[in-house]
Amino acid sequence: MKKVLMSAVASLFALTAMAQGGVVGFANYFDLGQCGVTGGAGGQVVHVSTRADFGRYISGITPYIIVLDADIIGGGMQDLQDEVSIGSNKTVVGSGSGKALKGICIDAKDQGNLIFRNISLTKGRTDGMSFRHCHHVWVDHCDLSDSYDGLLDFTLASDYLTVSWTKIHNHDKVSIVNSGTCHYEDYGKEHATYAHCWFADNVQRNPRIGYGKAHVYNCYWTNISSYCIGVHSQGQVLSEYNYFSSTANKAFNNQYTTTLPYCGFITDNGSILDGSNPKKASDQPYTGISYTPKTYYDFEFDQIPVADVPSAIQSGVGPKEGLAYEPILCPGNGAIDVPANTKLTWHSAAGSNKGKVMLKGGHFTTSEDGCLFVDPTVVKGVTCLNGENRYSIADCDMSAM
């Protein structure tokens, strides 16, 4: 079956280089009845500024686009456990230059389709963000730090996580994909992408992968005291064009054993290990993986030269002014096997399908010949051209717009 890349074009909101047309990575994958992560798309936009309002709108499965207009303060600031249970189909985004969740743990169990953008989170208790048996989660342009146990945990048969343009710092047990060696329910699940992230001033699990498949690219590590990327229990990691600074100990770590069934596998392409830090962990093996992320999504267009990683990541991660109104696209950039005639939709703090968007080099692959459908009442005169290659923005006809 021939795959054809389609692009769509319109006008008002221009997507910045940071957003790259929406989510990229495993959260973009069509599976489990979900056409990639859409969050609260189609739901009501609600503006919240209190802990009570935040807790009310974030629970249940009703879609909401939740805009934080003020920092939300919880019990963790007084060293008290304070968990907010989140339901499916939510987008949580900070207004302005970003808003903070202070002393609040984001806790999700048996949920899916969740987006967090433009927020800072600190002093979460018991965790910062905890997703158990959840699917299709996107954490983008956030700042996560200094919480009680795990900072960003994706466990218990969870699947399809993307963490992008996020600073993850000042923590011990940073981020796990799978809980441990005895969690056999994770076989065939636990797919995670970490792209353009900065891991700084941490100890371990930056991140750590077990049983699942991870893709880590264009990330930056500074002042890591134990190890950077950890694997175990046949977890597989593709590391690409990452930058491990001279202050980052052990780029790769096979955590528990060197033998099956509890060793893991890593392949690295083009990363820089600054200074004398060894490329391979002291506990071997360091062996090749047996999967490719290209089975799930396209990503080359989202990668930057490895030499540019330190400056680009330090300046680009975390909350940014105006990000709340940048459109979140569905399908996201790099989606593959999109059913023909799928409708392109988007949402932001302005609502769903409000205004028009511009795709800068949008990348979508259909499962058969045909255009990615664009609602003609919203976007006029866009036609897509078929062919054997992947197309860019220039291959869409804008003449009738």
Side-chain angles (χ1 to χ4, degrees), residues 312-330:
I313 300 313
Q314 289 180 86
S315 63
V317 297
K320 301 295 178 184
E321 182 69 39
L323 193 67
Y325 289 93
E326 270 196 0
I328 298 171
L329 305 176
C330 182

Side-chain angles (χ1 to χ4, degrees), residues 144-164:
L144 310 178
S145 68
D146 190 20
S147 292
Y148 185 70
D149 186 16
L151 189 53
L152 174 60
D153 289 351
F154 201 62
T155 63
L156 301 182
S158 290
D159 220 351
Y160 305 124
L161 167 72
T162 294
V163 186
S164 55

Side-chain angles (χ1 to χ4, degrees), residues 247-281:
T247 61
N249 191 43
K250 270 191 184 178
F252 311 118
N253 183 39
N254 220 318
Q255 187 158 11
Y256 296 124
T257 180
T258 61
T259 59
L260 289 171
Y262 295 124
C263 66
F265 307 95
I266 297 174
T267 293
D268 182 76
N269 294 328
S271 293
I272 288 179
L273 290 94
D274 199 0
S276 60
N277 185 40
K279 185 169 185 177
K280 301 178 183 181

